[in-house]
Amino acid sequence: MPTPSMEDYLERIYKLIDEKGYARVSDIAEGLEVHPSSVTKMIQKLDKDEYLIYEKYRGLILTSKGKKIGKRLVDRHELLEEFLTVIGVQQENIYADVEGIEHHLSWDSITQIEILLEYFRRDEQRIQQLRDVHKELVSDS
């Protein structure tokens, strides 16, 4: 199982490949706000652990294992963003909050959040009721 740091890299690489068709060391470094040398070291580790195939000066590709985990991590991130939006977290806080919690939740918790979101999606009135309660409680404090 990948470490939280490895997860960040796999998520970023997966997104870059999905968006651009490729992932360069410089793009990964910029997206994660780390030095290119750190990216190279992590890519070598991910290659060793068979999440990707890396050839120096030629680039990298995700293995099926890397793609599967990368997609799962991107989906988890998007799910948590949606969850925080639905429960009324201010938009400017959502990205940082997701980054802060995504590695600390079990997959069981993620599944339960997914079920809760589906409950809200099935009846938009439920979301409105939640927002009404939120307004009521916030205005009382």
Side-chain angles (χ1 to χ4, degrees):
M1 200 65 203
T3 65
S5 180
M6 291 167 77
E7 286 183 348
D8 286 340
Y9 278 85
L10 285 168
E11 181 180 353
R12 185 72 193 137
I13 292 166
Y14 182 89
K15 283 182 80 166
L16 283 167
I17 291 172
D18 188 49
E19 293 165 5
K20 299 169 83 171
Y22 59 89
R24 296 182 314 197
V25 168
S26 59
D27 295 327
I28 298 165
E30 182 182 322
L32 295 175
E33 299 177 348
V34 297
H35 291 285
S37 59
S38 299
V39 174
T40 301
K41 285 178 190 170
M42 180 58 80
I43 286 173
Q44 290 167 344
K45 178 161 181 40
L46 292 169
D47 182 24
K48 180 178 152 288
D49 291 349
E50 300 179 348
Y51 291 106
L52 55 81
I53 298 168
Y54 174 64
E55 292 183 31
K56 197 171 183 178
Y57 307 115
R58 298 196 66 192
L60 60 93
I61 58 168
L62 289 170
T63 62
S64 59
K65 174 182 170 181
K67 285 180 192 173
K68 180 180 176 184
I69 290 179
K71 179 172 180 6
R72 189 174 185 199
L73 296 170
V74 168
D75 290 348
R76 174 183 72 185
H77 189 100
E78 291 171 355
L79 178 83
L80 291 172
E81 283 185 353
E82 181 183 357
F83 174 67
L84 295 180
T85 300
V86 166
I87 64 170
V89 174
Q90 293 178 3
Q91 196 63 42
E92 64 267 17
N93 297 328
I94 289 177
Y95 182 81
D97 286 353
V98 169
E99 287 298 311
I101 65 173
E102 67 185 341
H103 300 296
H104 302 287
L105 293 173
S106 68
W107 286 103
D108 180 47
S109 293
I110 297 296
T111 299
Q112 298 311 313
I113 289 170
E114 189 171 24
I115 291 167
L116 180 62
L117 283 174
E118 183 58 27
Y119 171 79
F120 283 117
R121 284 186 205 114
R122 289 186 181 188
D123 185 348
E124 291 290 319
Q125 287 184 315
R126 293 172 181 157
I127 295 174
Q128 188 55 52
Q129 290 169 341
L130 177 65
R131 291 187 176 142
D132 291 345
V133 169
H134 181 265
K135 284 180 193 173
E136 180 185 315
L137 293 175
V138 170
S139 68
D140 287 347
S141 42

